[in-house]
Amino acid sequence: MNGRRHLLERVGPAAVVQLYADAFEHLSAADKRLAWHLYEAALAGRDIYIDQRYEHGLLMRDVLEALLAGRDAIEATVADAIERYTKLFWINSGPYDHITSRKFVLEIDQAQLLAAILGVRGAGREVPLGPHASPEAFVAAHARDFLDDTYRPMVTSKTPAPGEDILAASANNLYKGVSSADLDGFEETFALNSRLVRGGDGALHEEVYRVGGRYGATIARMVGHLEAALAVAPPATAAALAALVRFYRTGAEDDRRAYDIAWVADTTSAVDTINGFIEVYLDARGRKGAFEGIVFHENPEKTADIRRIAEHAAWFEAHMPYDVAFRRTDVVGVSARAIDVIVECGDAGPMTAIGINLPNDEAIREVHGSKSVSLANVVEAYEQSQPESLREEFCWSAEERARSKRWQALAGELTTSLHEVIGHGSGRMAPGVGSPQAVLREQYSTLEETRSDLVALHFIADPVMVDLGLIEAEHHADVVLAEYEGYARNALVQLRRVRRGTHLEEDHMRNRQAIVHWLMAHTTAIDRRTREGRTFYVVVDVEAFRAGVGRMLALVQRIKSEGRYDEAVALFEAHGIHFDPALRDEVVARVDRLDLPSYTGFVMPRLAPVLDATGAIADVEVSYPLDLATQMFEYSSRYAMPVEDRRSLEPSTFRSS
């Protein structure tokens, strides 16, 4: 492991890092075959997410990849700009920043874009132009998609300009011709897995994601791989996969629930998958699920700690600092383990979380429990690729830097586990309130991430962490202080990702900002200090920090449990959404001076089957591409959306070549 490459390249604000799955080779032959079929099923759905993020995303990618492949026919500076933009497009699954929601652009002009297309075509290479008969027609129709950051500037806009509707202001492809006002009194049958459109008859129609529906051929191909996985899966996994196949065929809410329940019950299989329309961050309303595909296997060496937390979930619930009426009294089915990712795509990759807790359905969580995973090899890859200079720049003192260097990895791992296992798995709704997603609308995701972070920050400082053997008693205070300092620092450092505007859109960024600034407004825990023109957030009172976290958690849980939408709006408007652009500019200048990346995209492990003389899969080999472009060209070649789906998405924007 020592000496191998993690950081592969820098592309503008992004670091590109190779992800390794070392323990894959130790899986049984049957588990490797299962992983292979699940890997194929995940990647088969990859293009769905690109279309969900932007209606012209697939066509834009077709053109960009053709230009990059034919760059020898393009003027050098233009070719360099196209390469940079294409790599950022791959990392962000489209022309919008995955974190900030803001559009980024190809830094050439319209004449140069046209000349690049003409040059590549003149060299004998095909450049797909969709429905357009000529390069001139294509550029006239789509130049603003590539070049104009004021045209459809936000993929998700929960806080649009005054008078703008959140759906009209969001460029994603989850709605067509629909405003928020149109949905008053309209009950969706397929809220999670459909695109909502206004038809020619003026009525609202749900285009359901299922076999025979929207993305039907793509989903059918996924189903084929899932059915192949069924043949080699252990019983609990097979039951979950059979339920997933049934859901993909019907699209019905009852079948989605049956799959979630079966998936939660599968807690012992070495290899597992997350596949479906799951997270709702892309939707300004917080209702429509974005496609993601993940395949992973357990990392036994790192599972013990997170499993110990899960085994004591009932204790954590009983000691929550919020109203007893909002605590679960029957904590069941909470499972957790550390895992190594084999592949992540769609909403899950190339940019990835470090922890996951599912399902999101609150009713299923309360009755059947949840599964949490900590992405061990992702955490390791981050640690191996992060520059030390970021810590040097934003820590107030040498003591804080030393504490962070020694303890931040452990503190971060434990708080992530607490966030996923206990945070998302805790609490209950008040009787008669209904689904929190429905009553809290666009505030739900931010509120839920805030709540789960607060749970983690509260319990990392509890003596139970020592009692469970997760932190040594003599080091507990230092670990807690390192975590609190890192959390406060992050609210400042994360501003480097938002280089335009004065407000945040991404839910995790909003929640971190809200917690730190609520604590600064309501406690004596954190000082804002300046030195040599540089701003620092300095934790000065650990006890006040934890006490404030407990008070804020009680407030946030009440807002969620009672569905207090107006209070959620007020909380995040006051503390989580808006920031000082002068402070942001200072942070950006400090980061740019050190040439530090703002985010990371991962190159995934590659699986390939080894066939025996009969053509059956005898083994599966893992390798590492060590190159973003190599992987992305392979994905586009092998897993492109079937032509029948491309034609049906928007007949006006696709023409078979």
Side-chain angles (χ1 to χ4, degrees), residues 110 114 117-118 129 132-142:
Q110 188 165 331
L114 177 59
I117 296 173
L118 291 171
L129 299 177
H132 305 288
S134 69
E136 290 81 2
F138 171 83
V139 171
H142 294 289

Side-chain angles (χ1 to χ4, degrees), residues 404-436:
S404 175
K405 188 171 184 178
R406 183 171 183 187
W407 298 115
Q408 192 63 57
L410 172 62
E413 182 177 319
L414 290 173
T415 50
T416 297
S417 296
L418 288 165
H419 171 109
E420 300 296 344
V421 181
I422 306 302
H424 284 308
S426 63
R428 63 178 177 175
M429 300 299 290
V433 173
S435 162

